[in-house]
Amino acid sequence: MATAVEFLPKEYGYVAIVLVLYCFLNMWMAVRVGQARRKYKVFYPTMYASEAENKDAKLFNCVQRGHQNSLEMMPMFFVLLILGGFQHPVISASLGLFYIITRYFYFKGYSTGVPDKRLSIGSVLFIPLFL
């Protein structure tokens, strides 16, 4: 009887590595949100700070929103990476790694407190895929 591993392409390990890398990126973002909570004094269970109650609300909210957006995109990214990897593991893993790099820059830009900076480097890197 054949096992599930026999049906996977030999390069499928690259897909698994990219999935784990995204998890590490997500954990790093979560740590950054925790640091921002302490720095801007936004304590649990508050999800977003109120500008009426906290002068640094926008700064914290940008860090929180950058992480939240990555969490919102994670299920779709994982499904597409896993499914694409069945047929094209190297291409899927390469594009997945590229996506992780753009997500890093998206978060770094958003975390500045200027939401428009979330699109500066990440979108510049991502646009060539569609040209």
Side-chain angles (χ1 to χ4, degrees), residues 28 32 103-112 117-118:
W28 174 77
R32 301 295 298 198
R103 285 315 262 174
Y104 169 80
F105 285 112
Y106 178 91
F107 181 78
K108 289 293 283 183
Y110 216 149
S111 296
T112 63
K117 287 188 179 181
R118 73 190 189 279

Side-chain angles (χ1 to χ4, degrees), residues 5-112:
V5 176
E6 292 174 14
F7 294 112
L8 294 176
K10 65 180 179 177
E11 299 90 359
Y12 200 79
Y14 297 130
V15 173
I17 290 168
V18 170
L19 288 170
V20 170
L21 286 174
Y22 194 84
C23 291
F24 281 123
L25 176 66
N26 184 46
M27 287 187 287
W28 174 77
M29 285 188 253
V31 168
R32 301 295 298 198
V33 171
Q35 291 170 338
R37 282 189 177 282
R38 285 186 292 283
K39 181 178 180 179
Y40 301 122
K41 296 178 179 42
V42 179
F43 304 106
Y44 289 109
T46 305
M47 182 82 146
Y48 292 101
S50 167
E51 290 188 24
E53 299 172 10
N54 188 327
K55 65 181 178 64
D56 295 319
K58 184 175 181 180
L59 293 170
F60 170 77
N61 290 344
C62 284
V63 175
Q64 171 70 4
R65 187 68 202 129
H67 182 234
Q68 184 69 33
N69 184 264
S70 291
L71 289 172
E72 292 164 358
M73 299 302 293
M74 185 186 286
M76 182 173 55
F77 172 65
F78 278 13
V79 167
L80 293 175
L81 183 65
I82 291 167
L83 293 177
F86 290 145
Q87 191 69 31
H88 304 286
V90 175
I91 293 171
S92 294
S94 299
L95 290 174
L97 184 60
F98 184 75
Y99 178 75
I100 290 170
I101 293 167
T102 61
R103 285 315 262 174
Y104 169 80
F105 285 112
Y106 178 91
F107 181 78
K108 289 293 283 183
Y110 216 149
S111 296
T112 63

